[in-house]
């Protein structure tokens, strides 16, 4: 192998590092976008209010202002921004401009003008008349009002009641996880321009061009073929750009005005008017045998999906799906509810329910271990699923499930047993260690159309072109796919030319979601690579007057597999083939998934807690991951490091902090929404368990989402170990940590 | 940007004062607050860039008084050896202000004029009883105490004077924010003290982010002044710090945390003054007995 399992640098790395790569907002000076208009949005200041009238005259009187759109002068087609394909059933409760604003930051109007400054100045002149309505600002209030949940998922497996009745120990844990924001460096942005034939081209840093097409078609009431979507390079998403928010408005304005239109949110707008991870309140009861076996679990979760359902109707089911893939549990009862409130909508964010449900289950499991007097490592080893296990909900084979290997090898490398037994200390700083396991899916099988199509074609210059609707979110998916194709064709990754993703030129794909890219698209590319290798050998056999099955591809050449003899470079082969007037070798493969194995991880953390201030410092970290095989270990490590950064913030720092009284977002800037920056990050060791997944390309399965999933429970468990506390409300801010500790002696004395 | 706004970038103090004689001005030094937030920028009138005025950025620590030009960057404060020798707290506070890029632009005068409740330099300056040299609108000059100074539009801070008579031999600064670096203080603490052979003499303590302005902490000063540095003194001092917080922010949501958390920076400034490591065993003795989790 000379491409797969190698630390191949990003195929677009140099262009990014030198600034040559053009992001969406960089396209405004492109000649194709001459006459570009800029959009500025007007957002509701009320959590719930009818939009009675929008006074636009003063704004339109400014020279250079072209239009002000609101619900009174635009189509009111209802849609759901989370759909992936035309006709997907989902509650359609959104429209381009709210007739009834459902949260602070809801879109009310859009001003189009010659410059962004002018558009924003004009937006300040628009007067919106609202009729304020009572607002529901918390999930408890939503339940109390008796509204139907947006989603309800229940599941029962085995005899839960009997298991609880016969248990040696029963514990209960309550865990809450906050809303969190993606904090992509590139704010939300979209550019659209009219094309001939009444079509519109949308240039969008998105996670699926076909999802954008489907949503915009619904919103505009146009047939999908009138809407062309091309993916632009993306400056970070993490799920935040999975749902098209600006695209319908941008496309509408471009069509209506017949001018290119750019809408680019500023940082505050990205914080207050896009999507967040849904907050969860969870309660879990666990029944255990004296030897640590989990006999049964009874789980209840409530998620607040915000003002619009978007994909929230899937969230309780997604949480259940991830919950039941980690441990072999005899009996399971689950009830997950999602409710809507008059708060910022929620959506996809790295793990989609997985970080929340694993926080609940893994913090609860540490409590169980404590009750039993067991090492948290031992209780996990007692219960973790084995290779070939079948999940009790969907009945799917979990594949070569190597969670146990992650635990065993990770614990040894971390020196877990000794560190777990070490004294936390009695002074100002207390030390503790924690661990947590996680699992995550690989793709959408058995739901939806879990398939993709890849075409590889020899070019006249000897390089190979890849056509597949890839959506690289910045983590190196294009590099990974180029490595797989190159490996099959005896080329280097840089010899693979990736055709930009465009609804006009690429076959349908679900997009980057559900940790499916390497596992699903990678397998399609691998199969297309195998087929193209055969086609090239057939063509070369004719040129070289040799049996094609005696040839092989290596180092950019076709040569005899046995060695010796003549070799023909792919460039020469392409030139000769073209000279004969024959078409160049090409192969197209459609891969339809037949499995959905699990990826596994075990994370180990050491923390030091300042008992005077409540500040938690993460001092050491080890992440062990079962990913089948790393196509690119360097990119895998990058994904894991980034996952730990997000998870550390989730555990300790980050909170969108919606005020339950006003509905206002508290964490609406980088000054008020605290991310972990470099000095907060611990030294990180990554340990890869590469035992191969038979259904994955070269044995590979996913790592992107799971990397962030076990981080928060590992850190919470470490803090609870250091302090002998039972903290479970994330993030563990200094306030929450101190509130769990007794007053220090000088205060106790002062109070007495 | 409005066409009504004119911008001037005078090259020396004479040119700057001539501009001030002509009419009202808005001053911009590093711009690290005004340019980022945008909202403080005027749309009309004259904006003066102070960053290119010769003679407005200097540190003179050789004389009896320390004199610092108001346009001196925070990075320059953090790096100046003379300043570090005579008032280490100011260099320490400067080193914890914002990010490297912010410190390279932000200025001493700007930190004072911006008057943020969580400003990091101001508590040190107040503890050092700093005075400000001002040029008033119209060009007249004045010198005032920083304590009680309210920044007024059009008034230019030209120099910060740290009177030699008010400097004490030891000083330290500590800060508690949402994270360790690139963070806005939720609490900060500056201390100047006499300390010799294990005993405190005079002590001045000023805390920031406890209300709208930095605040002198007289109870905590009394708890240390003249006392031997031992566990008993420290416990009295920590109790006094909490009492100061309770007096400063009664009823505030952050009170329950800050009345306890101030012990952290409180012990760190003592360590700095006494030349001890923050983890010196002495500080653990202040605990008396170990305290742990709230019983379930």
């Amino acid at each position: 192998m000379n491409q797969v399992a190698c630390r191949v640098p990003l195929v677009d790395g140099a262009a990014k590092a030198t600034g040559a790569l053009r992001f969406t907002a960089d396209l405004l000076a492109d000649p194709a976008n001459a006459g570009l208009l800029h959009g500025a949005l007007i957002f509701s200041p009320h959590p719930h209010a009818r939009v009675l009238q929008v006074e636009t005259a003063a704004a339109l009187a400014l020279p250079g202002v072209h239009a002000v759109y609101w619900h009174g002068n635009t189509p009111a087609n209802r849609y759901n921004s989370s759909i992936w394909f035309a006709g997907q059933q989902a509650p359609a409760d959104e429209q381009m401009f709210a007739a009834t604003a459902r949260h602070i930051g809801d879109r009310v109007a859009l001003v189009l003008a010659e410059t962004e400054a002018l558009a924003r100045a004009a937006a300040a002149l628009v007067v919106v008349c609202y009729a304020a309505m009572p607002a529901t600002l918390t999930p408890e209030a939503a339940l109390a009002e008796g509204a139907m949940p947006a989603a309800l998922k229940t599941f029962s497996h085995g005899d839960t009641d009997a298991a609880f009745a016969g248990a040696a120990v029963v514990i209960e844990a309550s865990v809450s996880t906050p809303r969190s924001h993606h904090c992509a460096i590139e704010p939300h942005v979209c550019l659209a321009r009219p094309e001939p034939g009444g079509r519109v081209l949308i240039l969008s840093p998105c996670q699926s061009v076909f999802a954008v097409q489907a949503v915009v078609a619904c919103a505009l009431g146009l047939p999908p073929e009138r809407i062309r979507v091309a993916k632009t390079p993306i400056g970070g998403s993490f799920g935040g750009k999975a749902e098209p928010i600006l695209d319908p408005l941008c496309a509408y304005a471009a069509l209506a005005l017949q001018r290119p239109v750019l809408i680019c949110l500023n940082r505050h707008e990205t914080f207050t008017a896009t999507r967040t991870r849904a907050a969860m309140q969870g309660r879990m009861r666990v029944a255990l045998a004296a030897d640590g076996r989990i006999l049964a679990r009874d789980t209840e979760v409530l998620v607040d999906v915000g003002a619009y359902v978007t994909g929230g109707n899937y969230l309780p089911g997604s949480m259940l799906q991830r919950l039941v893939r980690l441990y072999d549990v005899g009996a399971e009862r689950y009830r997950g509810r999602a409710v809507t409130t008059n708060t910022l909508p929620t959506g996809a964010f790295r793990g989609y329910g997985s970080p929340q449900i694993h926080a609940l289950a893994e913090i609860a499991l540490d409590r169980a271990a404590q009750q039993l007097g067991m090492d948290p490592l031992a209780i996990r080893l007692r219960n973790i699923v084995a290779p070939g296990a079948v999940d009790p909900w969907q009945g799917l084979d979990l594949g070569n499930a190597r969670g146990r290997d992650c635990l065993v090898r990770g614990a040894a490398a971390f020196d877990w047993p000794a560190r777990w037994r070490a004294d936390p200390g009695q002074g100002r700083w207390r030390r503790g260690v924690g661990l947590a396991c996680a699992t995550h899916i690989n793709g959408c099988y058995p739901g939806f159309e879990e398939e993709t199509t890849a075409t590889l074609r020899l070019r006249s210059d000897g390089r190979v072109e890849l056509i597949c609707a890839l959506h690289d979110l910045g983590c190196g998916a294009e590099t990974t796919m180029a490595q797989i194709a190159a490996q099959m064709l005896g080329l280097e990754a840089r010899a693979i030319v990736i055709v930009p993703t465009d609804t006009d030129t690429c076959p349908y794909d679900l997009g980057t979601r559900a940790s499916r890219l390497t596992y699903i698209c990678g397998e399609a590319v691998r199969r297309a690579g195998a087929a193209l290798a055969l086609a090239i050998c057939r063509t070369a056999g004719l040129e070289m007057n040799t049996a094609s099955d005696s040839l092989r591809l290596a180092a950019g050449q076709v040569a005899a597999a046995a060695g010796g003899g003549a070799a023909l470079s792919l460039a020469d082969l392409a030139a000769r083939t073209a000279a004969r007037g024959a078409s160049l070798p090409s192969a197209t493969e459609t891969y339809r998934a037949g499995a959905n194995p699990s990826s596994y991880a075990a994370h180990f953390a050491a923390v030091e807690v300042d008992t005077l201030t409540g500040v938690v410092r993460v001092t050491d970290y080890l992440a062990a991951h079962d990913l089948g095989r790393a196509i690119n270990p360097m990119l895998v490590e990058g994904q894991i490091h980034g996952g730990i950064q997000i998870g550390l913030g989730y555990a300790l720092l980050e909170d969108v902090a919606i005020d339950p009284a006003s509905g206002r977002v508290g964490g609406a800037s980088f000054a008020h929404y605290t991310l972990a920056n470099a000095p907060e990050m611990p030294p990180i060791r990554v340990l890869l368990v590469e035992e191969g997944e038979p259904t994955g390309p070269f044995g590979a399965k996913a790592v992107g989402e799971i990397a962030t999933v076990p981080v928060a429970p590992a850190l919470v468990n470490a803090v609870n170990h250091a302090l002998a506390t039972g903290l479970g409300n994330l993030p563990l801010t200094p306030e929450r940590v101190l509130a769990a500790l007794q007053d220090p002696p000088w205060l106790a004395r002062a109070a007495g | 940007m409005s066409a009504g706004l004119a911008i001037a970038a005078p090259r020396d103090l004479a040119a700057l004062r001539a501009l001030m004689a002509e009419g009202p001005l808005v001053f911009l030094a590093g711009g690290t607050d005004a340019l980022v937030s945008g909202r403080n920028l005027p749309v009309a009138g004259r904006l003066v860039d102070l960053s290119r005025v010769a003679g407005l950025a200097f540190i003179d620590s050789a004389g009896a008084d320390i004199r610092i030009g108001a346009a001196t960057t925070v990075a320059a404060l953090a790096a100046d050896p003379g300043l570090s020798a005579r008032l280490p707290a100011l260099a320490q506070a400067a080193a914890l202000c914002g990010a490297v890029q912010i410190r390279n632009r932000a200025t001493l005068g700007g930190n004072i004029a911006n008057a943020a409740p969580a400003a990091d330099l101001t508590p040190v300056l107040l503890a050092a009883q700093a005075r400000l040299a001002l040029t008033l609108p119209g060009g007249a000059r004045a010198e005032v105490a920083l304590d009680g100074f309210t920044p007024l539009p059009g008034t230019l801070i030209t120099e910060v004077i740290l009177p030699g008579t008010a400097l004490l031999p030891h000083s330290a600064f500590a800060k508690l924010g949402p994270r360790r670096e690139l963070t806005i203080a939720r609490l900060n603490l500056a201390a100047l003290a006499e300390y010799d052979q294990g005993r405190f003499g005079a002590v001045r303590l000023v805390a920031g982010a406890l209300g709208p302005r930095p605040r002198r902490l007289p109870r905590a000063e009394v708890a240390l002044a003249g006392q031997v540095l031992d566990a008993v003194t420290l416990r009295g001092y920590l109790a006094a710090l909490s009492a100061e917080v309770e007096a400063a922010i009664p009823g505030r949501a952050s009170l329950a945390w800050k009345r306890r958390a101030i012990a952290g920076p409180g012990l760190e400034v003592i360590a700095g003054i006494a030349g001890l490591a923050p983890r010196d065993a002495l500080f653990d003795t202040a605990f008396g007995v170990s305290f742990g989790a709230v019983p379930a």
Side-chain angles (χ1 to χ4, degrees), chain A residues 670-682:
Chain A
F670 283 133
H672 294 106
Y673 187 90
T674 308
L675 287 174
N677 56 3
E680 298 303 314
M681 292 300 289

PDB file of all heavy atoms in Angstrom, chain A residues 670-682:
ATOM      1  N   PHE A 670     -17.928  35.594  20.657  1.00  0.00           N
ATOM      2  CA  PHE A 670     -16.806  34.818  21.187  1.00  0.00           C
ATOM      3  C   PHE A 670     -16.345  35.353  22.547  1.00  0.00           C
ATOM      4  O   PHE A 670     -15.629  34.663  23.267  1.00  0.00           O
ATOM      5  CB  PHE A 670     -15.644  34.791  20.192  1.00  0.00           C
ATOM      6  CG  PHE A 670     -15.863  33.837  19.049  1.00  0.00           C
ATOM      7  CD1 PHE A 670     -15.622  34.214  17.746  1.00  0.00           C
ATOM      8  CD2 PHE A 670     -16.323  32.548  19.282  1.00  0.00           C
ATOM      9  CE1 PHE A 670     -15.830  33.334  16.694  1.00  0.00           C
ATOM     10  CE2 PHE A 670     -16.536  31.663  18.245  1.00  0.00           C
ATOM     11  CZ  PHE A 670     -16.284  32.051  16.947  1.00  0.00           C
ATOM     12  N   ALA A 671     -16.764  36.580  22.895  1.00  0.00           N
ATOM     13  CA  ALA A 671     -16.442  37.088  24.231  1.00  0.00           C
ATOM     14  C   ALA A 671     -17.322  36.428  25.282  1.00  0.00           C
ATOM     15  O   ALA A 671     -16.909  36.270  26.425  1.00  0.00           O
ATOM     16  CB  ALA A 671     -16.608  38.604  24.271  1.00  0.00           C
ATOM     17  N   HIS A 672     -18.525  36.044  24.903  1.00  0.00           N
ATOM     18  CA  HIS A 672     -19.471  35.489  25.876  1.00  0.00           C
ATOM     19  C   HIS A 672     -19.721  34.004  25.697  1.00  0.00           C
ATOM     20  O   HIS A 672     -20.391  33.385  26.501  1.00  0.00           O
ATOM     21  CB  HIS A 672     -20.792  36.261  25.812  1.00  0.00           C
ATOM     22  CG  HIS A 672     -20.654  37.678  26.262  1.00  0.00           C
ATOM     23  ND1 HIS A 672     -20.666  38.735  25.387  1.00  0.00           N
ATOM     24  CD2 HIS A 672     -20.440  38.205  27.487  1.00  0.00           C
ATOM     25  CE1 HIS A 672     -20.488  39.857  26.063  1.00  0.00           C
ATOM     26  NE2 HIS A 672     -20.343  39.565  27.339  1.00  0.00           N
ATOM     27  N   TYR A 673     -19.247  33.447  24.602  1.00  0.00           N
ATOM     28  CA  TYR A 673     -19.357  32.005  24.386  1.00  0.00           C
ATOM     29  C   TYR A 673     -17.928  31.479  24.411  1.00  0.00           C
ATOM     30  O   TYR A 673     -17.158  31.710  23.489  1.00  0.00           O
ATOM     31  CB  TYR A 673     -20.036  31.722  23.042  1.00  0.00           C
ATOM     32  CG  TYR A 673     -20.331  30.253  22.824  1.00  0.00           C
ATOM     33  CD1 TYR A 673     -21.539  29.704  23.244  1.00  0.00           C
ATOM     34  CD2 TYR A 673     -19.398  29.418  22.216  1.00  0.00           C
ATOM     35  CE1 TYR A 673     -21.804  28.359  23.057  1.00  0.00           C
ATOM     36  CE2 TYR A 673     -19.660  28.083  22.031  1.00  0.00           C
ATOM     37  CZ  TYR A 673     -20.863  27.551  22.452  1.00  0.00           C
ATOM     38  OH  TYR A 673     -21.123  26.214  22.264  1.00  0.00           O
ATOM     39  N   THR A 674     -17.578  30.831  25.495  1.00  0.00           N
ATOM     40  CA  THR A 674     -16.172  30.507  25.733  1.00  0.00           C
ATOM     41  C   THR A 674     -15.809  29.171  25.105  1.00  0.00           C
ATOM     42  O   THR A 674     -16.325  28.132  25.506  1.00  0.00           O
ATOM     43  CB  THR A 674     -15.888  30.449  27.241  1.00  0.00           C
ATOM     44  OG1 THR A 674     -16.350  31.656  27.842  1.00  0.00           O
ATOM     45  CG2 THR A 674     -14.399  30.290  27.494  1.00  0.00           C
ATOM     46  N   LEU A 675     -14.922  29.225  24.118  1.00  0.00           N
ATOM     47  CA  LEU A 675     -14.370  28.011  23.513  1.00  0.00           C
ATOM     48  C   LEU A 675     -13.059  27.657  24.209  1.00  0.00           C
ATOM     49  O   LEU A 675     -12.377  28.545  24.715  1.00  0.00           O
ATOM     50  CB  LEU A 675     -14.043  28.265  22.041  1.00  0.00           C
ATOM     51  CG  LEU A 675     -15.197  28.386  21.062  1.00  0.00           C
ATOM     52  CD1 LEU A 675     -14.647  28.794  19.701  1.00  0.00           C
ATOM     53  CD2 LEU A 675     -15.931  27.075  20.951  1.00  0.00           C
ATOM     54  N   ALA A 676     -12.725  26.391  24.175  1.00  0.00           N
ATOM     55  CA  ALA A 676     -11.390  26.001  24.612  1.00  0.00           C
ATOM     56  C   ALA A 676     -10.399  26.475  23.551  1.00  0.00           C
ATOM     57  O   ALA A 676     -10.538  26.124  22.386  1.00  0.00           O
ATOM     58  CB  ALA A 676     -11.307  24.494  24.783  1.00  0.00           C
ATOM     59  N   ASN A 677      -9.430  27.289  23.956  1.00  0.00           N
ATOM     60  CA  ASN A 677      -8.376  27.655  23.005  1.00  0.00           C
ATOM     61  C   ASN A 677      -7.113  26.849  23.340  1.00  0.00           C
ATOM     62  O   ASN A 677      -7.135  25.996  24.237  1.00  0.00           O
ATOM     63  CB  ASN A 677      -8.150  29.165  22.992  1.00  0.00           C
ATOM     64  CG  ASN A 677      -7.818  29.731  24.354  1.00  0.00           C
ATOM     65  OD1 ASN A 677      -7.703  28.998  25.326  1.00  0.00           O
ATOM     66  ND2 ASN A 677      -7.666  31.040  24.429  1.00  0.00           N
ATOM     67  N   ALA A 678      -6.053  27.106  22.599  1.00  0.00           N
ATOM     68  CA  ALA A 678      -4.882  26.227  22.691  1.00  0.00           C
ATOM     69  C   ALA A 678      -4.373  26.039  24.128  1.00  0.00           C
ATOM     70  O   ALA A 678      -4.075  24.910  24.521  1.00  0.00           O
ATOM     71  CB  ALA A 678      -3.771  26.729  21.766  1.00  0.00           C
ATOM     72  N   PRO A 679      -4.270  27.109  24.937  1.00  0.00           N
ATOM     73  CA  PRO A 679      -3.731  26.880  26.287  1.00  0.00           C
ATOM     74  C   PRO A 679      -4.612  25.976  27.159  1.00  0.00           C
ATOM     75  O   PRO A 679      -4.125  25.426  28.146  1.00  0.00           O
ATOM     76  CB  PRO A 679      -3.660  28.294  26.892  1.00  0.00           C
ATOM     77  CG  PRO A 679      -3.639  29.206  25.725  1.00  0.00           C
ATOM     78  CD  PRO A 679      -4.458  28.535  24.671  1.00  0.00           C
ATOM     79  N   GLU A 680      -5.884  25.828  26.830  1.00  0.00           N
ATOM     80  CA  GLU A 680      -6.768  24.949  27.610  1.00  0.00           C
ATOM     81  C   GLU A 680      -6.580  23.481  27.258  1.00  0.00           C
ATOM     82  O   GLU A 680      -7.065  22.604  27.977  1.00  0.00           O
ATOM     83  CB  GLU A 680      -8.240  25.307  27.362  1.00  0.00           C
ATOM     84  CG  GLU A 680      -8.634  26.708  27.772  1.00  0.00           C
ATOM     85  CD  GLU A 680      -8.361  27.004  29.226  1.00  0.00           C
ATOM     86  OE1 GLU A 680      -8.698  26.172  30.079  1.00  0.00           O
ATOM     87  OE2 GLU A 680      -7.783  28.080  29.499  1.00  0.00           O
ATOM     88  N   MET A 681      -5.952  23.210  26.120  1.00  0.00           N
ATOM     89  CA  MET A 681      -5.921  21.831  25.635  1.00  0.00           C
ATOM     90  C   MET A 681      -4.832  21.022  26.339  1.00  0.00           C
ATOM     91  O   MET A 681      -3.717  21.490  26.547  1.00  0.00           O
ATOM     92  CB  MET A 681      -5.687  21.809  24.123  1.00  0.00           C
ATOM     93  CG  MET A 681      -6.858  22.369  23.321  1.00  0.00           C
ATOM     94  SD  MET A 681      -8.404  21.473  23.580  1.00  0.00           S
ATOM     95  CE  MET A 681      -8.018  19.934  22.719  1.00  0.00           C
ATOM     96  N   PRO A 682      -5.171  19.808  26.724  1.00  0.00           N
ATOM     97  CA  PRO A 682      -4.187  18.942  27.373  1.00  0.00           C
ATOM     98  C   PRO A 682      -3.268  18.315  26.333  1.00  0.00           C
ATOM     99  O   PRO A 682      -3.561  18.341  25.136  1.00  0.00           O
ATOM    100  CB  PRO A 682      -5.061  17.860  28.000  1.00  0.00           C
ATOM    101  CG  PRO A 682      -6.219  17.745  27.050  1.00  0.00           C
ATOM    102  CD  PRO A 682      -6.463  19.144  26.533  1.00  0.00           C
TER     103      PRO A 682
END
